[in-house]
Amino acid sequence: VQLQASGGGLVQAGGSLRLSCAASGRAFNTYAMGWFRRAPGKEREFVAGIRWSSGPTYYADSVKGRFTISRDNSKDTVYLQMNNLKPEDTAVYYCATRDGRVTESSDDYDFWGQGTLVTVSS
């Protein structure tokens, strides 16, 4: 399994970015995808999650109402639309996948992308 994250960059507070995570290597119909982030000096934390096949989406409280996770099964790609970005959203964002349901623990995920840096200036 390979995950390729992209879309990070520098944006001003209040701006938007869309991250993409392209997956390859197997059929993902039983898998869940999660977005995580690690800010400088902090632990990696769950941001959002979705199953590849169907079901609800999940968000950390800190991003609810601002971030939207979605998928395009035809492209094996999951997106994270980030609106109204804040300086505290600055972090390296990672996508990860696991066979099963969405969980918020990074330890549950087996495959990880390389990370993409998001920097939000005030």
Side-chain angles (χ1 to χ4, degrees):
V1 174
Q2 290 188 329
L3 302 178
Q4 181 71 38
S6 62
L10 173 64
V11 64
Q12 288 187 331
S16 298
L17 282 174
R18 188 178 79 157
L19 305 183
S20 300
C21 182
S24 62
R26 66 176 58 191
F28 292 98
N29 52 299
T30 63
Y31 278 61
M33 176 71 79
W35 281 100
F36 292 80
R37 67 186 181 186
R38 176 173 285 163
K42 294 188 176 181
E43 297 291 320
R44 185 162 52 189
E45 64 175 356
F46 173 82
V47 176
I50 191 170
R51 291 205 69 186
W52 283 101
S53 57
S54 63
T57 52
Y58 303 85
Y59 298 96
D61 288 342
S62 59
V63 306
K64 280 181 182 175
R66 300 187 298 122
F67 291 12
T68 303
I69 189 170
S70 62
R71 63 181 180 272
D72 184 339
N73 294 84
S74 68
K75 298 180 179 179
D76 283 341
T77 300
V78 171
Y79 303 97
L80 185 68
Q81 177 67 42
M82 306 186 295
N83 297 328
N84 191 21
L85 283 160
K86 304 176 180 181
E88 51 263 42
D89 295 317
T90 294
V92 177
Y93 284 71
Y94 300 89
C95 56
T97 194
R98 66 182 300 268
D99 191 357
R101 62 183 179 86
V102 174
T103 71
E104 296 188 5
S105 172
S106 60
D107 291 340
D108 294 336
Y109 289 75
D110 302 305
F111 304 100
W112 290 81
Q114 82 285 9
T116 184
L117 177 62
V118 172
T119 304
V120 184
S121 63
S122 58

